[in-house]
Amino acid sequence: MSSASTQLITSRKMGIYDPFQQVSMWEDPFKGDISPNTGASTILQVDAGLPNKSEFNSHELTGPSRNDEEGNNTADKVRRRLAQNREAARKSRLRKKAYVQQLETSRLKLAQLELELEKARKQGVYVGSALDTSHLGFSGNVNSGIAAFEMEYAHWVEEQNRQIFELRNALQAHVTEIELRMLVESGLNHYHNLFRMKADAAKADVFYLMSGVWRTTTERFFLWIGGFRPSELLNVLRPQLEPLTDQQVLSVCNLRQSSQQAEDALSLGMEKLQQSLAHSIGAESVLAGNYGSQMAAAMEKLEALEGFVNQADHLRQQTLQQMSRILTTHQAARGLLALGEYFHRLRALSSLWAARPREPE
């Protein structure tokens, strides 16, 4: 009698593929592709007297394979990383929304202030600002455009102080690259807003802007065409950015040199404008009786001042943008923090100087 059972050997390949694909966030891809794994062959022994047992799944008989566990662990890691990225993005959106709301509130307050100042001007009275701006050296100008600039600049300083605090905490907490990049872009946009505000103020009264009365006394000591010299700021920031690569050192030196050349050209243009203005006013005798034509010619020359202020601010803005391209995200964050701290200390120095003890006369 032949044997009652026979031995059947089957070999089946098992594959595992994780469905997670690339996820893009703010143009920074997080690649989570997982290569397919192949399982080992499974050998089943089937009793000839028990038909259809070969239909049983080999995975159910042998239990989860090692590749199954590795695939699941990798998938869990990807899920956790994606969840962390989504949470970081959510927090960044909330911060940005709060900042936009704050700007909108400030805009409404400024619009209301302009209406009140215009009404007061027509009535011939002066309405003092409720904001204490003595530490900023504000003039209390009744010109609606200048008064609006002073209020807006006060809010700008408050926002800069908040950004300094946030940057310092982010660097100490070692936040993600995405969060740090968001803070850097916000800081650069904040300076861009200052240049926009100054352009509007220059249209209202360019002499007021160039005099620097809207800044503290110590800041005025470094004033150059309504602001700071970009080359001087680079010298201040350079030690705070170390260590720099050889290529970064070369790029920063070239940027400082080109900024210095542009500053010299603008300074020379301002000097020639002053000489031309003095010549047009005082060259001819006061007895000639052409006072009106002299003043008209002088007014035409003074219109060029607004262009000089805008060019100087454009140079400052371009220097900041070029530095952000040269530096890494972490270095750019440190640079913005150092720049904000520098301005803050200048304002603090003005307050200390004004409050210094004086000997009685």
Side-chain angles (χ1 to χ4, degrees):
M1 186 175 180
S2 62
S3 175
S5 60
T6 60
Q7 188 178 44
L8 177 62
I9 301 177
T10 62
S11 178
R12 182 177 301 171
K13 292 185 179 180
M14 300 175 61
I16 301 173
Y17 179 73
D18 191 280
F20 289 96
Q21 301 296 328
Q22 295 179 353
V23 177
S24 176
M25 182 179 298
W26 295 297
E27 300 180 359
D28 186 12
F30 295 89
K31 298 182 179 179
D33 294 338
I34 303 174
S35 301
N37 301 320
T38 56
S41 300
T42 305
I43 300 178
L44 302 178
Q45 292 183 351
V46 183
D47 195 327
L50 297 176
N52 299 328
K53 280 189 176 182
S54 60
E55 296 176 1
F56 289 168
N57 192 304
S58 62
H59 179 71
E60 295 176 355
L61 295 177
T62 62
S65 67
R66 180 179 180 182
N67 289 331
D68 291 331
E69 295 177 357
E70 292 179 353
N72 291 334
N73 292 336
T74 305
D76 290 340
K77 291 180 181 179
V78 174
R79 291 190 185 96
R80 286 195 299 269
R81 185 168 63 179
L82 293 177
Q84 292 173 356
N85 292 336
R86 285 192 293 267
E87 180 64 17
R90 185 185 67 83
K91 292 180 179 180
S92 297
R93 289 193 296 270
L94 290 176
R95 285 196 300 269
K96 184 176 181 181
K97 182 179 179 181
Y99 177 62
V100 172
Q101 289 177 347
Q102 183 181 6
L103 290 179
E104 180 64 18
T105 301
S106 299
R107 187 187 66 81
L108 294 176
K109 289 181 179 179
L110 288 172
Q112 183 179 3
L113 177 64
E114 287 186 357
L115 292 176
E116 293 177 354
L117 289 172
E118 182 65 20
K119 182 179 179 180
R121 185 186 64 80
K122 291 180 180 179
Q123 294 176 351
V125 297
Y126 171 70
V127 178
S129 171
L131 179 65
D132 180 16
T133 58
S134 58
H135 66 290
L136 293 174
F138 286 165
S139 63
N141 199 309
V142 294
N143 182 310
S144 60
I146 296 303
F149 168 76
E150 290 181 345
M151 287 290 294
E152 195 172 6
Y153 180 68
H155 289 296
W156 187 91
V157 172
E158 293 176 357
E159 174 61 20
Q160 186 186 45
N161 292 334
R162 187 194 66 80
Q163 289 190 0
I164 292 174
F165 178 79
E166 192 172 12
L167 268 175
R168 185 185 298 108
N169 289 343
L171 289 171
Q172 292 176 352
H174 304 289
V175 299
T176 63
E177 184 84 1
I178 293 177
E179 289 182 292
L180 204 58
R181 170 54 60 181
M182 289 284 291
L183 293 176
V184 169
E185 291 178 355
S186 178
L188 293 175
N189 289 334
H190 191 56
Y191 282 100
H192 175 74
N193 289 335
L194 175 61
F195 301 138
R196 175 192 56 78
M197 291 157 45
K198 291 176 63 180
D200 294 338
K203 294 178 182 179
D205 189 348
V206 67
F207 286 106
Y208 160 85
L209 189 67
M210 293 186 62
S211 67
V213 295
W214 47 284
R215 291 186 180 271
T216 59
T217 53
T218 308
E219 289 177 297
R220 278 179 240 165
F221 180 71
F222 299 96
L223 203 64
W224 172 77
I225 313 183
F228 291 84
R229 289 182 179 270
S231 59
E232 291 181 356
L233 292 182
L234 289 178
N235 291 334
V236 171
L237 294 179
R238 170 71 182 275
Q240 308 297 329
L241 302 175
E242 297 292 346
L244 296 172
T245 65
D246 293 340
Q247 181 61 43
Q248 286 178 322
V249 171
L250 178 61
S251 298
V252 172
C253 290
N254 291 337
L255 179 60
R256 186 183 62 80
Q257 184 178 3
S258 60
S259 297
Q260 182 67 60
Q261 292 174 352
E263 292 167 14
D264 293 342
L266 286 174
S267 297
L268 181 61
M270 284 287 296
E271 183 179 351
K272 290 184 177 180
L273 176 62
Q274 289 176 336
Q275 294 175 354
S276 176
L277 182 61
H279 178 76
S280 62
I281 293 178
E284 299 182 12
S285 172
V286 295
L287 300 177
N290 57 350
Y291 178 83
S293 61
Q294 284 182 327
M295 293 299 102
M299 288 292 292
E300 291 180 0
K301 296 180 184 301
L302 288 178
E303 291 178 355
L305 280 178
E306 183 179 341
F308 277 102
V309 172
N310 291 335
Q311 290 181 58
D313 276 346
H314 180 71
L315 176 60
R316 286 183 269 265
Q317 182 177 3
Q318 289 297 313
T319 302
L320 285 175
Q321 291 179 347
Q322 288 296 329
M323 279 296 292
S324 67
R325 296 188 183 101
I326 294 173
L327 304 176
T328 64
T329 300
H330 192 271
Q331 289 173 329
R334 284 164 47 200
L336 285 174
L337 176 60
L339 188 61
E341 286 282 6
Y342 176 70
F343 292 143
H344 176 74
R345 291 174 182 177
L346 287 179
R347 292 190 289 266
L349 183 59
S350 293
S351 299
L352 292 173
W353 175 255
R356 73 191 186 280
R358 297 177 177 84
E359 295 182 0
E361 296 180 359

